[in-house]
Each structure stands twice: as C-alpha cells, then as structure tokens.
Amino acid sequence: MAKKQVTPKNEQKAVLFDQIVATLKNETLRFICGLILVIFAIFLLLAFTSFFVTGAADQSLVEGGGDVLISTHNGAKNYAGSRGAQLAEFLINDCFGLSAFFIVLFVGVVGLKWMRVRRFRLVRWFVGCALALVWFSLFFSMLLQGYFPSSFINPGGMHGLNISRWMASQVGVPGVWMILLVVAVGYLAYLNAHTVVWLRKLLTLSFLKRTKREKRDDAPLAAPIESREGETPEAFTTSWQARGSGETPPTPPQADPTFEVEAPQEADADEPAKESDAGEAKDPDFLIDAGEEEEAYHGGEQEPYDPRRDLSNYHFPPIELMKFYDNAEPSIDMDEQNANKDRIINTLRSFGIGINTIKATVGPTVTLYEITTEKGVRISKIRGLEDDIALSLSALGIRIIAPIPGKGTIGIEVPNSNPKIVSGQSIIGSKKFQESTADLPIALGKNISNEVFMVDLCKMPHILVAGATGQGKSVGLNAIITSLLYKKHPSELKFVLVDPKKVEFSIYSVIERHYLAKLPDGDEPIITDVRKVVQTLNSVCVEMDTRYDLLKLAHVRNIKEYNAKFIDHRLNPEKGHKFMPYIVVIIDEFGDLIMTAGKEIELPIARIAQLARAVGIHMIIATQRPTTNIITGTIKANFPARVAFRVSSMIDSRTILDRPGANQLIGRGDMLFLQGADPVRVQCAFIDTPEVEEITRFISKQQGYPTAFFLPEYVDENGGGSDLGDVDMGRLDPLFEEAARLVVIHQQGSTSLIQRKFAIGYNRAGRLMDQLEKAGIVGPTQGSKPRDVLCVDEADLEMRLNNFK
C-alpha cells in the first residue's frame, strides 16, 4: 500500500476543501441560488411568449446588436426588454425552435429543487428535457418548415433545420420519420414503463381482428354464428510499527518506534390445456377434473404483476431531508494518537510486556489499537491490565479484545477525545446502502474502520435491542425504521408498531395509510394499549398461519418464492392468492409488557420468532431492563441477532450478549452487534426526531392506500363466540341485505370484508356479521379461519331473506 507523510500543507488543502464543500451545502446559499434560477426561468418564459407577438417588430433591433441593444431608447417591444428579445431570437430561431421552452422548464425545476419547494429527480428531468429539446426541434422542422416560408419564426430552429436536412440526405424523409418514431417510443418507455404494455396490447388486438376476419372470409357458407372474444389477460487507518532491537532478550525494547500514516482509502409451469381441434369422430366431449393444482394456473400472456401499480407515482424520501453535520467527516488527531500509543507502550512495558508492532484504526468514536506482543506473553496477563490501561489513558470505556478473531493480534479499544457524529445522511446516502440488493436492508451506523455497517433483516431474522436509559435505543430504532422506509415501497413492507410509552413511535402515525398495519377495529395506528398488544400479536400469528397455508398450496418454501410465482401469474388470485408484503413488528419497552401481561405476550412472540421467518414476518423488540425475568431463555433462543447499548453492569451485558462488553461502552449510540460468534462494535447512526418528522411528512403528503393494512380478525378461543341471544332480528341494520349478498357472492364470511366494502366501522360490521349468523346465512366463528357461508347462491339467499320480510 502506498504510504505518505502527512504535512501541514496537505492538512491545509484538506481543510480548504472541507470548507468549500460545507459552503456549497449551506441551506441559505442553495435557497438563494434556487430563487435566482426560478426568477430567471420566469424571465425566459416572458421573453419567449412575447416573442411570438413582438418578434417581427424587434428583428431590426436584434440584428443591429451592439450599441442599439444597450441604448435606453432602443424601442424594444418584447416584454422582457431588448435582452429578452435577444435571448428569444437566439434560443428559438438560432438554436432549437419551439422546443426551447424545455430549457425554461428545466431551469425552473432546478430552482425549485434547490429551494426545496418540490422534490425532483434532476438526472431524470435533465435526460427527459434534453431529449425532448432535440426531438421536438427535429419534429417541428420536418413538420412545419415548408408551411410558413415568410414567417419570422423558425419552428425547429437552425439546429432542427440543419440536422433534419442532413438526415434526409442520408436516409431520406421516410427514414427520418422512422428514426423519430423509434426515439419517441423509447422516450415514452423511459417515462412510463406501461408504454410497452400498451403498444403490445394494441398490436395484439389488431392482429387478432385481422386473423378472425380472414377466417370468416375463408369459412364455407353456413348459418351466421356470433363469435365471442376472449379476455386479455459503501477507512481511515493510522498504523504505527514499533520494532524492538531483537526478539531473544527478555527485556522490552527501548528504541523509539517509527511512525507512518497510510493514505486514506475510499470505503467503501405448465400451460393450460388447449382445446382439441374438431374432428370427424362423433364421441361426446370427455372432461376430467384433475383437482386443484396451483402450478397449472397461468394468467396468460400478460405483463408481470406489478405490486407497486396502485401507488405507481410514489417517490422515496430524498436524502436531503436528513441533516448534514459539519464534524461528521473522519479526521486523525496525530497528537492524540501518538500520546495514546506512548501510554499503552509504557504501561505494558512497566508490567514486563514487550510489543513488536502496534497499529491504530481510527473510528468515529473509538480507536482500535492492534498490538503484537513478543513471544511468551500470556493473553490473560494483558486482559488483567484493563483498569491499569484505562488509568494511564484517563479514559472510560477501555475494552480489550484478546485475541482479535482471525487476526492473531490483541485489540485495545480507546474512546476518542473528540468523537464524530455518524449522521443518518452519511449512512443512508452511502453507495453501499443505495446499491444494496438485500431484501430488508438495515444500515445501523459505522464500524471501527469507518465503514458503513449493514445487515439484512431477512437473514437475521429477529433482533433483540437492549441498553440502559438514554444510551441510544430509540435512535437505533429510528435508524432501523428509516433504513427500511428509504428502500422498500409501501406495497412491499408494513410495520406493526407497539409503543407502551405512547410517545416514541407517535411520529410515524402520519404514514398509517402507507406503511402501517393494525387490527380492523383499531382506532390508533400505533398500538399502545396492552390489551390491544396481545390481540395484535395473536392476529399476527393468524396472518402467519394463513400465509403458511398459501405457501403450501403454492408448493413453495418462503415468501420470496411465493411472490415470484404470483408476479409471474402462476398463482390464481381467485383461489385466495395475493401478493405478500413483508411485516416487521417493532415493540418498544418490551419489559413493561412482560410485567403487565406476562405469558400472554411471551407466547405469541415466541411463536412468531420460531416460525414467521419463511413467511416474511420479522420482529424487533427493545427493552431498557435487560434482566433475566425480561429477557428469558425462550426470547434469547429465538432472537439470535442482538444489539447491546451501554449497560450499567457486567451481569446485564451477559444477559444480552452472553459475555461482558456492553458495560464497557461509552454511550451515546456506542453499541455492540452480535450475530454469530463475536460481537462487532458500531457507532449507531444519529437520526434525530426532526429528521424523522420531515421524512414521514414527505411520505404522508403522497397518495396512500384508502386504509391501513388490516391484520386478520382474531377470536380468543377461551373467550367464546358471540352471544347471539342479544341479537335483535327485529331491528336489522339497513345494510343487512346488501351485506348478505356481498357475503354470498364472495363466499367469504369476513367482518373486514364488510368493513372495507361499505366503509363502516368495525363495531357495526361486527353487528352485521352477528345478524347474518343468526339468520343462518353464515356459520359461527372458527378461530383464525373465515366463517362458512351457508347460502349456496343468491336464490337460496332470497328464500332466507323473505322469511324476515
């Protein structure tokens, strides 16, 4: 690796560069620049529009140029003055013609983007406007050039005129139109993916009509038969090497070590059976029903199902919504590092421990010193010097890793005197996160090498988060939720948020119709009532069981395979199949729930943790009391991934991680992540409440679903069914008959179905279902299963309804 000495000149250049970057990211400067661009766009629009009325009168003024333009009495008729007339003449006649209005559009979009008035994807807008600018210039030149020979306006501009003439000389006029057509189709496909589908359907329809007409013309004379048409279906590292004078003497080396600084590196199915042709045989049709076979279903030659089509205009939150911190960039304080290195070496020497090499990796809040000792030094001897090293460095949170797994070195983690903030913007906006292909990517923060630390929730598959009060649990949960909001579409992910404290998750209530799931009779999108928590978790269990039934019918093993088959139209929606979004259950202050509900809470949590991974249901629980009566053996066994923030005692650390370490953290987001054998020290990304509010507000202003994602109904088997003796059939609900027909038509006795179709509350829908049961239209409740519909068809229903008239 190439190495270079850090000089004051290089440091000055780095500081100057950082100042320039910070200036360019200044919000006030960006707003002012954006405002200037918007005003300039309005000026251009005024100049262009008035050019069509005053252009002829300003021709001599524009052609005269020079002193005439700057004269006070220049006689300009254009509403934007002489300079507006000059700009309009140049951009319209001399350049792109009528399509020059796309320049005005793009300048205005950039200005609004910088002002943060609206959110735009500038790259997409630039490509679109640039392509439209060139295409329409050629189009207007080809279409209108010969029709207005005496007009002062050049419809396609000189660009369109010259390019179209050259292209016509190469491929002819028809060839130019063909090229424009191909480019237009590609441009429309870039703007909207449904363009290809629309064209394919259009061509298919005309082909089918032509084929049917040919067959009808070739058919022999016979009685007219009316044909039926089918349906179209991303390290800063400081290293030192302290080499002794030899290996054989038992006394430690006294020579001063040499230091070098490494240059920073950038981190970074079967088809349906065809109908047989009509033959000469007189045998009757013979049909065999092979039973239900899901793989045999194919939705025909359709485009793959798009789960995002209901919210196709949804835009993910931009990274600019998150706060930029000036001191977030990693830096190396050489004075501090040299002082710490000398103290470590001297402390170990005073106890007779010689060092061969020492290497320091500077992280955002902690520096890891990797040391290689001389031969014959016991690791246990170094472990016992933890307090002595902490006393020497006058620092808290000294942690010794002896040995570092896979390296053969001993690690000493020392907190930095000037810790850096790991901003959520630097994590979410990193290349590693943006290009991640994980199913449920979570960016937790940065590790000790200043690299973005990410995990995939699908592979974990559940997380236990614990730590003392005020050490970063709530911020950690915000980082988890925000990561998912930046990567998953509302159709692909739903949250079940449980907040006994009632204040931690309230900021997420505004995205109820986009990302949240709740019970059908739930009044609030965030579950805060302990009784509702038990019911909600049991409802999640019902959803889990229902999904497993669908996976069984589809002959697949997990949600990823199932959704792939559904997208390819290999599962029949009429058989109950549907696209399954991931469901993430997040419980804050789990300890309070255990104290109030006990086994009622632990049982469904254990079921979900044991079984729900394959069907895309994952759970994250957090507690500030990591004791054995809260984090029981059952919970620990089913939550292999654990996040430990700072705790007060070694016992608490052992309860969370089965080892010490969490009691030696420094707090403020410093955490240990454990999944497997060895924990990883991570500085959690800091995403403050105002940032979360900005993100959720951006999402809530967009179109959402009509309601939240409703979890299935849950009926407590020990609580019995509904008491039909209290149902007064003499006072039927006005929607009784409509609800009855709805249930019979769908052959599904579901309260949530009635609630959705008639847009009524859960209580009224429940009363309707009780009336339907007493009327003999639907059967009694069957736990997690839908009620049986006792009426075969509408005729049977009418007979039953007549008895109540």
Side-chain angles (χ1 to χ4, degrees):
M1 180 182 295
K3 300 181 179 180
K4 63 181 180 181
Q5 192 74 21
V6 176
T7 62
K9 186 176 182 180
N10 291 334
E11 291 181 355
Q12 292 176 356
K13 290 182 178 179
V15 171
L16 179 61
F17 178 78
D18 292 341
Q19 292 176 346
I20 294 175
V21 171
T23 302
L24 294 177
K25 292 184 178 180
N26 183 272
E27 289 296 323
T28 304
L29 179 63
R30 288 172 61 92
F31 182 88
I32 294 175
C33 293
L35 180 61
I36 293 173
L37 287 178
V38 171
I39 294 175
F40 181 65
I42 297 175
F43 175 81
L44 282 179
L45 182 62
L46 183 64
F48 285 6
T49 53
S50 62
F51 175 75
F52 293 103
V53 180
T54 63
D58 289 338
Q59 285 292 305
S60 59
L61 172 65
V62 173
E63 292 175 357
D67 296 337
V68 179
L69 288 174
I70 64 177
S71 174
T72 304
H73 305 287
N74 51 31
K77 303 298 183 181
N78 193 290
Y79 297 153
S82 61
R83 296 304 175 182
Q86 186 181 27
L87 274 174
E89 172 71 20
F90 174 73
L91 293 175
I92 295 179
N93 283 343
D94 296 343
C95 292
F96 302 104
L98 302 178
S99 64
F101 280 93
F102 286 102
I103 299 176
V104 180
L105 177 62
F106 182 71
V107 172
V109 165
V110 175
L112 294 175
K113 168 77 172 180
W114 286 1
M115 293 173 67
R116 291 194 175 182
V117 175
R118 295 289 301 271
R119 310 295 177 184
F120 297 104
R121 300 178 182 178
L122 290 186
V123 175
R124 185 182 180 93
W125 275 88
F126 175 78
V127 174
C129 289
L131 188 56
L133 182 72
V134 175
W135 192 90
F136 279 102
S137 175
L138 293 172
F139 176 79
F140 288 134
S141 181
M142 293 290 295
L143 184 67
L144 304 175
Q145 191 61 47
Y147 290 96
F148 305 100
S150 60
S151 175
F152 68 93
I153 298 177
N154 190 345
M158 294 305 297
H159 167 269
L161 178 63
N162 294 331
I163 298 299
S164 62
R165 286 178 176 177
W166 178 82
M167 292 178 64
S169 67
Q170 302 299 310
V171 297
V173 174
V176 177
W177 284 112
M178 293 178 185
I179 293 175
L180 290 176
L181 178 62
V182 172
V183 175
V185 172
Y187 176 64
L188 292 175
Y190 170 77
L191 294 178
N192 193 336
H194 294 287
T195 301
V196 178
V197 180
W198 180 80
L199 288 176
R200 185 179 291 128
K201 289 182 178 180
L202 181 65
L203 296 175
T204 304
L205 181 63
S206 56
F207 174 77
L208 290 175
K209 289 183 177 179
R210 186 175 66 253
T211 304
K212 291 178 180 179
R213 184 169 59 250
E214 292 174 353
K215 288 184 177 180
R216 184 170 64 250
D217 294 340
D218 296 340
L221 294 176
I225 299 177
E226 197 174 61
S227 61
R228 298 172 61 186
E229 295 184 5
E231 296 182 357
T232 60
E234 173 210 10
F236 284 78
T237 302
T238 308
S239 71
W240 297 275
Q241 293 184 344
R243 300 181 175 87
S245 58
E247 296 183 357
T248 53
T251 57
Q254 301 297 324
D256 292 334
T258 59
F259 310 99
E260 294 177 343
V261 180
E262 294 183 359
Q265 292 182 332
E266 294 184 358
D268 236 51
D270 300 332
E271 297 182 354
K274 297 181 179 179
E275 296 182 1
S276 59
D277 296 334
E280 298 179 356
K282 303 297 184 180
D283 294 338
D285 293 339
F286 180 59
L287 302 177
I288 299 177
D289 187 358
E292 292 187 3
E293 179 60 44
E294 297 297 332
E295 290 184 333
Y297 173 82
H298 198 286
E301 295 182 2
Q302 302 179 36
E303 283 295 310
Y305 171 77
D306 183 10
R308 301 184 177 187
R309 66 182 181 182
D310 292 335
L311 298 182
S312 58
N313 294 323
Y314 176 82
H315 295 290
F316 288 94
I319 195 65
E320 291 82 6
L321 294 176
M322 308 184 78
K323 185 177 180 180
F324 172 78
Y325 291 88
D326 294 334
N327 66 334
E329 296 300 324
S331 61
I332 301 174
D333 187 342
M334 295 299 299
D335 294 336
E336 178 187 357
Q337 301 304 323
N338 286 325
N340 287 342
K341 178 264 305 181
D342 292 337
R343 293 191 183 106
I344 292 175
I345 292 176
N346 294 332
T347 301
L348 295 178
R349 282 177 177 175
S350 64
F351 288 94
I353 300 175
I355 300 175
N356 286 335
T357 62
I358 179 169
K359 173 184 176 182
T361 303
V362 183
T365 57
V366 175
T367 297
L368 173 65
Y369 296 88
E370 298 182 46
I371 62 175
T372 304
T373 62
E374 295 179 345
K375 294 182 179 180
V377 177
R378 294 180 176 271
I379 292 178
S380 59
K381 187 176 182 180
I382 298 179
R383 285 190 184 134
L385 298 177
E386 189 170 272
D387 295 335
D388 297 281
I389 297 175
L391 179 62
S392 174
L393 296 173
S394 302
L396 297 175
I398 300 295
R399 179 169 170 261
I400 293 181
I401 311 171
I404 296 177
K407 287 191 175 183
T409 58
I410 298 172
I412 302 176
E413 293 177 345
V414 181
N416 296 334
S417 60
N418 185 24
K420 303 297 181 182
I421 296 176
V422 178
S423 65
Q425 185 190 57
S426 64
I427 302 300
I428 302 298
S430 65
K431 181 179 180 181
K432 183 176 182 179
F433 179 80
Q434 294 294 333
E435 298 181 355
S436 173
T437 58
D439 295 321
L440 290 177
I442 295 176
L444 292 175
K446 289 186 178 181
N447 60 16
I448 208 165
S449 300
N450 269 298
E451 298 171 346
V452 175
F453 185 81
M454 284 182 55
V455 293
D456 186 359
L457 183 58
C458 286
K459 297 180 180 180
M460 299 170 71
H462 313 288
I463 309 178
L464 169 64
V465 182
T469 303
Q471 302 305 316
K473 293 191 311 302
S474 297
V475 175
L477 294 177
N478 283 341
I480 292 174
I481 298 175
T482 302
S483 299
L484 297 174
L485 291 178
Y486 269 90
K487 291 294 285 188
K488 306 303 290 185
H489 190 270
S491 63
E492 303 165 342
L493 173 67
K494 302 297 176 183
F495 289 102
V496 176
L497 300 181
V498 179
D499 182 14
K501 292 192 291 188
K502 304 180 181 182
V503 294
E504 293 296 340
F505 291 152
S506 60
I507 53 179
Y508 297 104
S509 61
V510 296
I511 59 173
E512 173 187 356
R513 295 184 297 109
H514 298 81
Y515 282 101
L516 300 189
K518 65 176 185 178
L519 293 170
D521 60 339
D523 297 328
E524 298 180 356
I526 311 298
I527 299 96
T528 57
D529 189 352
V530 175
R531 294 169 297 179
K532 287 288 185 180
V533 173
V534 177
Q535 189 177 357
T536 300
L537 293 177
N538 283 307
S539 179
V540 173
C541 291
V542 175
E543 174 73 13
M544 176 186 70
D545 295 334
T546 303
R547 289 189 173 196
Y548 267 114
D549 291 338
L550 293 175
L551 262 65
K552 177 184 176 182
L553 292 175
H555 306 291
V556 295
R557 297 177 299 173
N558 55 58
I559 186 176
K560 196 171 184 179
E561 297 176 2
Y562 178 90
N563 283 339
K565 293 188 70 173
F566 186 84
I567 289 174
D568 292 339
H569 299 285
R570 289 188 288 157
L571 297 175
N572 191 350
E574 296 181 357
K575 302 293 185 180
H577 291 292
K578 57 186 177 180
F579 183 84
M580 296 182 185
Y582 287 98
I583 298 178
V584 179
V585 183
I586 304 180
I587 303 176
D588 191 22
E589 200 38 66
F590 173 69
D592 182 71
L593 295 179
I594 286 292
M595 293 180 64
T596 54
K599 292 295 182 181
E600 286 187 90
I601 287 286
E602 189 173 3
L603 181 59
I605 287 179
R607 285 203 67 215
I608 295 171
Q610 290 169 350
L611 301 174
R613 172 180 183 173
V615 293
I617 301 177
H618 305 273
M619 180 169 287
I620 302 172
I621 61 176
T623 181
Q624 64 181 3
R625 288 178 290 186
T627 56
T628 54
N629 62 328
I630 302 297
I631 306 177
T632 63
T634 303
I635 297 297
K636 291 176 67 174
N638 293 291
F639 285 78
R642 304 170 197 171
V643 173
F645 292 88
R646 184 184 180 185
V647 294
S648 58
S649 66
M650 185 185 298
I651 297 177
D652 291 345
S653 179
R654 291 188 181 274
T655 303
I656 307 169
L657 303 173
D658 299 321
R659 70 197 71 198
N663 56 308
Q664 298 165 322
L665 300 175
I666 61 175
R668 298 179 62 86
D670 190 16
M671 72 183 198
L672 291 175
F673 175 82
L674 176 66
Q675 186 183 16
D678 302 295
V680 179
R681 193 164 187 174
V682 178
Q683 177 62 39
C684 183
F686 180 65
I687 302 179
D688 205 0
T689 301
E691 298 176 73
V692 179
E693 290 176 343
E694 284 290 327
I695 295 170
T696 54
R697 186 182 300 114
F698 176 85
I699 296 174
S700 65
K701 290 182 178 179
Q702 303 185 61
Q703 177 188 357
Y705 294 102
T707 62
F709 181 86
F710 286 144
L711 296 170
E713 301 174 52
Y714 170 75
V715 178
D716 189 357
E717 297 179 356
N718 298 323
S722 59
D723 187 4
L724 296 180
D726 297 335
V727 178
D728 185 6
M729 298 303 292
R731 301 175 60 185
L732 294 176
D733 191 285
L735 295 176
F736 175 77
E737 292 189 12
E738 295 182 48
R741 291 187 176 91
L742 176 69
V743 168
V744 173
I745 291 173
H746 288 79
Q747 286 293 301
Q748 179 184 357
S750 171
T751 305
S752 60
L753 174 65
I754 297 176
Q755 185 180 1
R756 291 196 305 270
K757 292 297 184 180
F758 297 114
I760 61 177
Y762 181 80
N763 295 332
R764 183 180 180 185
R767 289 192 299 269
L768 273 168
M769 189 60 69
D770 291 339
Q771 293 175 359
L772 293 174
E773 180 183 352
K774 192 165 186 178
I777 298 173
V778 298
T781 59
Q782 304 180 75
S784 63
K785 297 181 180 179
R787 296 172 182 252
D788 292 331
V789 180
L790 304 180
C791 292
V792 179
D793 51 24
E794 291 191 60
D796 187 13
L797 173 64
E798 291 298 332
M799 294 178 60
R800 295 177 186 264
L801 291 178
N802 289 332
N803 297 329
F804 299 98
K805 293 182 180 179

